[in-house]
Amino acid sequence: MDLFKAAVELDQSAQISATGPGIWMAPMDSNIRDSNFYSTLLTNAYRPSGAREIIMQTLQIVLVAEHPLTIRSIDALLGTKNEELLVNSLSSVISIAADGTVTIIDPIFRDFLHDKETAGSFYIDEVQSHSLMARSCFVVMMEELTFNICRIDSSFVRNNEIPDMNERISSFISSQLQYAAIHWHKHLIQSGEELRRSLSDMLEQFSRSPYPLYWMEVISALGKVRGSLCGLQDARDWLLDAQTKERVEDIHRFIASFYTPISESIPHIYISSIPFGARGSVLIQESIEAFPKTLSVTQGYYNRWKALPIILKGSEPNWAVVFFPNGRQIATGSNQTIQLWDVETGQALGELPRGHDDWVTSISFSPDGRRMASGSRDMTLRLWDAETGQAFGEPLRDHEDRVTSVSFSPDGRQIASGSCDDTIRLWDAETGQAFGEPLRGHEDWVTSVSFSPDGRRIASGSYDWTIRLWEAETGQAFGEPLRGHENSVTSVSFSPDGRQIASGSYDWTIRLWDVETGQALGQPLRGHMSWVTSVSFSPDGRQIASGENDGTIRLWDVETGQALGQPLRGHMSWVTSVSFSPDGRQIASGENDGTIRLWDVETGQALGQPLRGHMSWVTSVSFSPDGRQIASGENDGTIRLWDAGTGQPLGQPLRGHTDWVNSVSFSPDGLQIASGSDDKTIRLWNAETGQPLRERPPDDHQSSSLSSNELQPSHSAIAGSGWKSSSNSETIKLMDQKTGRRLVYWRRVPGEALRLEDARLENNGWVMEGNRLLHWVPPSMKCWIDNAQFRCGSQWKEVHEVEGRGPPT
């Protein structure tokens, strides 16, 4: 008898009559199953009326899900009831755990379903499965998303300050909605062409307010805001329809611009984000209409999303700078922390939980971008989930001194680390266990380690002036040390084809080496005037970027060894790290003073230069109402106009005052500028031409100078930093402690027992009263705020209220 027919008969004979026919009670060893067995199994399973489609779709969902789903979630995604069908027909290959989680327990069955030739009519196309899952995610989100989904009572608290937040998530956000909100974009970009149009239409519908705002509530509650930025960019790139592409980009800019309030407090998606958004944004226009009871920015608002300068300013020196594999985010390491940044906007995306007890010296991503390894001067390595920011397991402890460098192998299975204990160690990236004994051979600190692209070899640089090559599998040294540098080697990097190594040194040079022979290629690359601190190959292997101790970066032609163009200047201190973006178009560089800069590789220009032009102190700045211009005053009596999008000065300085300019302000229509000065005058200027209009004479003022509160209407605001407060019976006034000029006027909010006289504006943009969040202001924004309709605290849920209407649906 045929073995597999016998297997089927054996399973059939194992049925228990009490539970009805079709329940397989004795699953066979999968090692003795073949296509005939699975075909027979599925033929029997599909026999009941309507069963084929339900079971096929269930298998599609199970096969492509990012993680195992419960049967209830699968039912909700598909709009079916299929638990009984699965139990009755496929229990020999599928398991349903006590918590309802569905998994395929027979790996050969999974392979069978994906093999078109073997499976025949039972074949499941992976692309079609992703299409089904993407569609199901959109359906679930548009059915289940709602306003204030977690029933947040007050806007004064952050998500992590709500004691029962986890219980609220479990009670109010279904597991299928959690899955859909986090993973929809992953399935969308893997879907097939035949459903592109219908999925694009669903995404267009989803991109209309209020769905994006309700979706932000869920990802904020789940702590998944950062991952959503990459997801939106992936969705935008997948789209062909220009209008929908623009809408998705609009959502991305909204989240990137208001990352802090969105990720920290759900109510502030509405009360701290919508008011300050670009008025030309379709999402903002729809949201202002749907949620009117928020702050109102009457002057200084942006008509379009602001092009943010790509100068990433941290509070500590950055010892490690590395692009995510997708090129859209950057991770930087400093004192005990790892900071994440959005490349496109320059916004900080928060810090990873502290996992080190000393400076983070090196960061490396796994090739799939899902994991991150960090090394520290605390002698440990840590593994992190790159999406959630959570640490995996305990610190990796085996080095006896500071960890200087970490690097993932190309297959993501191993990590190499170098240390000041003169050794290299290899680690299992999954378990964190050390492989074998330390690699010994260097006679001084190991400063840099790098895997070859094929993963077979490791290069290491050292303070002993040498580079060494190692066999990654055995840990044995390969050949003799590479000698040629005349001082410590600070950095090593393999070329993309693995044939060459670039090394930087304290001897001010870069050297290229032949990996097979260990011979130096040509002469040292000379041009730096100080230590070379970091080297990196471009993705195409044609260029090398190098950073220097004097703050410059240089680009080199690999083939000729010649410097390309002029040094990239902008850093004011030691360049600690350089890294190419995956597309090779940008370079990220870190500096010892805490800044990170992005550079255009083709032009060598910094992306986002500071505004330069004033020769002395800048005393006052103000945005035009449409956000396109900035006016600034100086202590030499001049005023300058700037293009807010490009940062370029507009025309010549406005001259007329004979002493310090204390304040500048645009008229509500943006056509005029008023300036006050220590020369006891106010001047009016034509904002378009820069020509003076008229002057108020000194006789009108008895004081020696005019300050900004004399130029402003009541109940309005200019945002800045370092505030103190004072009050009268109706308004609360927040003042800049340094100048005493820039003001925020708050009306007292009816029904809320606030001590607004104690309000303060923190450097991160939050306006606080005690430990309560009032609202958030974009740190770079200068604007006038009317808070007459503002709802906060327990009243925040009224933001949507229009007479006769509930929350938008």
Side-chain angles (χ1 to χ4, degrees):
M1 179 182 293
D2 181 272
L3 176 63
F4 297 96
K5 289 183 178 178
V8 173
E9 291 180 4
L10 177 61
D11 267 350
Q12 290 173 334
S13 67
Q15 296 172 15
I16 298 179
S17 58
T19 57
I23 300 181
W24 307 93
M25 299 301 297
M28 293 182 54
D29 184 347
S30 62
N31 291 325
I32 60 170
R33 297 175 176 176
D34 73 351
S35 59
N36 291 330
F37 172 80
Y38 299 121
S39 296
T40 303
L41 184 69
L42 290 170
T43 298
N44 291 333
Y46 290 170
R47 193 165 290 160
S49 176
R52 181 183 181 91
E53 182 179 4
I54 294 175
I55 293 177
M56 179 72 79
Q57 289 184 347
T58 300
L59 291 173
Q60 287 180 285
I61 294 293
V62 172
L63 286 168
V64 299
E66 289 289 315
H67 59 73
L69 296 168
T70 65
I71 189 65
R72 181 174 296 179
S73 295
I74 295 171
D75 282 346
L77 286 164
L78 294 175
T80 60
K81 295 286 287 183
N82 57 31
E83 181 171 4
E84 186 177 348
L85 275 172
L86 288 180
V87 171
N88 286 355
S89 57
L90 296 178
S91 60
S92 60
V93 290
I94 284 183
S95 167
I96 301 179
D99 64 356
T101 302
V102 179
T103 54
I104 293 179
I105 57 177
D106 182 349
I108 302 177
F109 180 56
R110 179 186 294 268
D111 295 339
F112 166 79
L113 293 172
H114 279 156
D115 189 328
K116 190 172 186 177
E117 183 177 345
T118 304
S121 63
F122 303 110
Y123 169 67
I124 292 181
D125 183 88
E126 189 169 354
V127 172
Q128 291 181 357
S129 301
H130 282 293
S131 299
L132 173 65
M133 181 68 102
R135 177 190 174 280
S136 299
C137 287
F138 283 130
V139 169
V140 163
M141 288 193 291
M142 288 189 281
E143 286 181 350
E144 297 190 18
L145 288 172
T146 187
F147 176 74
N148 194 18
I149 194 167
C150 286
R151 315 294 196 270
I152 305 300
D153 300 314
S154 173
S155 67
F156 292 153
V157 296
R158 291 178 169 86
N159 296 343
N160 61 14
E161 295 170 345
I162 300 173
D164 61 343
M165 191 63 184
N166 288 336
E167 288 76 12
R168 290 172 185 261
I169 291 171
S170 298
S171 299
F172 302 128
I173 307 177
S174 68
S175 57
Q176 63 268 17
L177 180 55
Q178 292 183 38
Y179 182 91
I182 296 171
H183 299 298
W184 64 267
H185 55 87
K186 298 175 184 175
H187 299 294
L188 179 72
I189 63 175
Q190 297 179 77
S191 60
E193 285 298 321
E194 58 191 59
L195 290 178
R196 179 184 285 273
R197 180 59 184 271
S198 64
L199 288 174
S200 180
D201 289 344
M202 295 186 82
L203 179 53
E204 195 275 338
Q205 183 181 356
F206 176 71
S207 69
R208 293 180 177 273
S209 186
Y211 289 126
L213 303 176
Y214 296 169
W215 170 63
M216 292 175 207
E217 287 195 39
V218 174
I219 59 175
S220 175
L222 299 176
K224 298 292 185 179
V225 179
R226 182 167 57 83
S228 72
L229 288 168
C230 291
L232 288 166
Q233 288 174 311
D234 288 339
R236 177 197 62 192
D237 295 344
W238 173 87
L239 282 163
L240 298 179
D241 178 69
Q243 185 175 0
T244 308
K245 188 186 287 277
E246 187 175 337
R247 277 187 166 274
V248 171
E249 174 60 17
D250 206 19
I251 301 170
H252 174 263
R253 293 308 302 269
F254 183 96
I255 296 177
S257 297
F258 302 108
Y259 180 86
T260 296
I262 291 171
S263 60
E264 293 187 13
S265 180
I266 288 172
H268 290 270
I269 294 170
Y270 304 92
I271 67 177
S272 290
S273 302
I274 294 173
F276 300 104
R279 295 294 175 86
S281 157
V282 175
L283 176 61
I284 293 297
Q285 292 170 2
E286 294 172 347
S287 299
I288 288 176
E289 181 180 352
F291 303 95
K293 299 294 181 70
T294 61
L295 297 169
S296 176
V297 179
T298 58
Q299 293 185 50
Y301 53 80
Y302 301 136
N303 276 335
R304 58 185 185 275
W305 291 114
K306 182 173 172 58
L308 299 171
I310 311 301
I311 301 175
L312 316 180
K313 181 67 176 176
S315 59
E316 300 280 2
N318 296 288
W319 287 87
V321 180
V322 61
F323 276 92
F324 275 63
N326 62 18
R328 291 170 176 163
Q329 295 174 341
I330 292 172
T332 60
S334 58
N335 187 8
Q336 303 181 24
T337 64
I338 296 169
Q339 177 79 51
L340 304 176
W341 309 82
D342 185 276
V343 169
E344 187 168 327
T345 67
Q347 292 284 3
L349 301 179
E351 292 182 352
L352 270 60
R354 294 207 171 192
H356 289 291
D357 297 325
D358 207 331
W359 292 83
V360 177
T361 55
S362 182
I363 300 169
S364 178
F365 282 96
S366 61
D368 61 9
R370 296 186 175 183
R371 289 199 173 190
M372 183 167 57
S374 59
S376 169
R377 295 202 310 197
D378 66 5
M379 301 190 289
T380 71
L381 287 79
R382 296 222 67 160
L383 296 176
W384 308 83
D385 184 305
E387 184 173 338
T388 66
Q390 296 301 307
F392 281 117
E394 295 299 313
L396 281 57
R397 307 178 188 276
D398 264 329
H399 281 296
E400 298 174 359
D401 207 331
R402 290 172 281 182
V403 177
T404 57
S405 182
V406 293
S407 177
F408 268 95
S409 62
D411 62 7
R413 296 179 180 178
Q414 291 181 302
I415 298 168
S417 60
S419 169
C420 292
D421 64 9
D422 305 352
T423 71
I424 297 106
R425 295 223 63 150
L426 296 178
W427 311 81
D428 186 300
E430 188 69 31
T431 66
Q433 296 298 310
F435 283 127
E437 295 298 315
L439 281 57
R440 303 185 186 277
H442 285 296
E443 298 174 1
D444 208 332
W445 294 0
V446 176
T447 57
S448 182
V449 292
S450 178
F451 274 93
S452 62
D454 62 8
R456 294 170 56 198
R457 290 179 185 156
I458 300 167
S460 58
S462 170
Y463 267 24
D464 66 8
W465 302 13
T466 71
I467 297 107
R468 298 209 67 146
L469 292 173
W470 311 83
E471 296 287 354
E473 187 173 348
T474 65
Q476 297 298 308
F478 175 78
E480 294 297 315
L482 281 57
R483 303 183 187 276
H485 282 296
E486 298 175 0
N487 208 324
S488 301
V489 176
T490 57
S491 182
V492 293
S493 177
F494 274 95
S495 62
D497 62 9
R499 296 178 180 178
Q500 298 179 14
I501 294 171
S503 58
S505 169
Y506 280 176
D507 66 7
W508 303 8
T509 71
I510 296 132
R511 299 213 68 149
L512 294 175
W513 309 84
D514 184 291
V515 170
E516 284 301 317
T517 67
Q519 297 299 306
L521 299 173
Q523 296 299 310
L525 281 57
R526 301 184 186 277
H528 283 294
M529 303 304 293
S530 186
W531 304 343
V532 177
T533 54
S534 181
V535 292
S536 177
F537 273 94
S538 62
D540 62 9
R542 296 178 179 179
Q543 297 180 22
I544 295 171
S546 57
E548 182 178 349
N549 191 45
D550 70 354
T552 63
I553 296 148
R554 299 213 67 145
L555 293 175
W556 308 83
D557 185 293
V558 171
E559 187 173 347
T560 66
Q562 297 298 306
L564 298 172
Q566 296 299 311
L568 282 55
R569 302 186 187 280
H571 286 296
M572 304 303 293
S573 185
W574 179 11
V575 175
T576 57
S577 181
V578 292
S579 174
F580 277 92
S581 63
D583 63 8
R585 296 179 179 179
Q586 296 179 0
I587 295 169
S589 58
E591 181 179 353
N592 194 39
D593 71 352
T595 62
I596 304 98
R597 284 188 176 265
L598 292 181
W599 309 82
D600 186 293
V601 171
E602 186 173 346
T603 66
Q605 296 299 307
L607 300 174
Q609 286 289 340
L611 278 58
R612 301 186 187 279
H614 283 296
M615 303 303 293
S616 188
W617 301 351
V618 176
T619 56
S620 179
V621 292
S622 177
F623 274 86
S624 63
D626 64 5
R628 296 180 179 180
Q629 294 182 345
I630 299 169
S632 58
E634 184 180 352
N635 71 347
D636 69 355
T638 65
I639 296 138
R640 296 214 66 149
L641 295 176
W642 310 83
D643 185 298
T646 66
Q648 296 300 309
L650 299 172
Q652 296 300 312
L654 282 55
R655 303 184 186 279
H657 286 296
T658 59
D659 208 335
W660 286 30
V661 175
N662 294 306
S663 181
V664 290
S665 179
F666 279 89
S667 62
D669 60 10
L671 299 177
Q672 298 179 30
I673 299 167
S675 59
S677 169
D678 271 5
D679 66 9
K680 305 180 185 178
T681 68
I682 297 171
R683 284 184 174 268
L684 294 177
W685 311 81
N686 185 307
E688 186 172 348
T689 66
Q691 295 300 307
L693 296 175
R694 63 183 183 273
E695 172 186 345
R696 289 179 64 178
D699 294 344
D700 287 352
H701 294 279
Q702 302 301 317
S703 64
S704 62
S705 64
L706 301 175
S707 59
S708 58
N709 58 319
E710 295 174 280
L711 301 176
Q712 299 170 9
S714 61
H715 311 306
S716 56
I718 295 179
S721 60
W723 303 79
K724 61 182 180 180
S725 62
S726 60
S727 66
N728 59 33
S729 59
E730 295 183 1
T731 64
I732 303 301
K733 182 172 62 177
L734 300 179
M735 300 179 64
D736 189 303
Q737 290 178 321
K738 292 183 179 180
T739 68
R741 283 193 296 273
R742 300 184 215 162
L743 309 178
V744 171
Y745 281 91
W746 265 80
R747 289 186 182 182
R748 295 189 181 277
V749 182
E752 293 294 348
L754 295 177
R755 288 184 53 81
L756 290 177
E757 59 270 18
D758 295 331
R760 67 189 185 279
L761 178 60
E762 298 190 338
N763 289 335
N764 59 9
W766 283 111
V767 177
M768 305 286 294
E769 183 271 318
N771 61 355
R772 298 196 276 192
L773 307 175
L774 299 186
H775 72 89
W776 185 83
V777 183
S780 63
M781 198 174 198
K782 308 294 186 292
C783 58
W784 301 55
I785 302 171
D786 184 347
N787 65 335
Q789 303 227 27
F790 182 47
R791 298 292 185 270
C792 65
S794 61
Q795 297 177 341
W796 84 270
K797 292 163 283 188
E798 301 172 10
V799 293
H800 60 76
E801 284 193 356
V802 172
E803 190 173 350
R805 188 190 75 187
T809 57

